[in-house]
Amino acid sequence: MDLFGINGGEFIVLAVLAVVILGPEKLPEYAKKLANLVKEVRRMANGAKEQLREEVGDEVADIDWKKLDPRQYDPRRIIKDALVDEFDDAVNAAKSSPAKTAAPAPVRTAVPSVTTQQSQLGANEPAPFDSEAT
């Protein structure tokens, strides 16, 4: 039993602490208050559920809430599925093409080479400085 993140051993320790702190005289009174609180919370939850069902209709009963839980999403799986789907689509498109055509040869254009003559600086000559380039 794992109620509110408390296992059985922890629950027993809490019960013993409650007996020691509250004492045997007040313990039944506080236990009754706790039971009433739990009943009230359950009643409120059921009321909210019924109100939602009345306002939205029966479509709510058909929704798979676990499917919409954000903790169920794994980004790695989503990306993998998307990539696999795209790959499968590309493979199917390649298989369905009627004729195999050779890829065209790449077009090569001549790029003129730009060469500039740079002269060596003299011993005490400062390096050129372009104020717009910096």
Side-chain angles (χ1 to χ4, degrees), residues 21-69:
I21 292 172
L22 297 175
E25 298 86 26
K26 293 184 180 180
L27 190 61
E29 178 185 340
Y30 283 105
K32 187 174 182 178
K33 286 182 181 180
L34 180 63
N36 288 338
L37 176 70
V38 169
K39 287 178 185 176
E40 184 68 21
V41 169
R42 283 185 183 170
R43 186 189 61 75
M44 289 172 53
N46 287 333
K49 194 185 306 182
E50 288 300 320
Q51 182 180 2
L52 181 68
R53 194 168 277 140
E54 287 173 5
E55 290 177 3
V56 178
D58 290 334
E59 296 91 32
V60 176
D62 298 337
I63 294 175
D64 184 15
W65 294 105
K66 288 185 180 181
K67 193 176 191 181
L68 299 175
D69 185 6

Side-chain angles (χ1 to χ4, degrees), residues 108-122:
R108 299 186 188 263
T109 58
V111 177
S113 64
V114 178
T115 57
T116 58
Q117 295 290 333
Q118 294 183 355
S119 61
Q120 294 285 335
L121 293 176

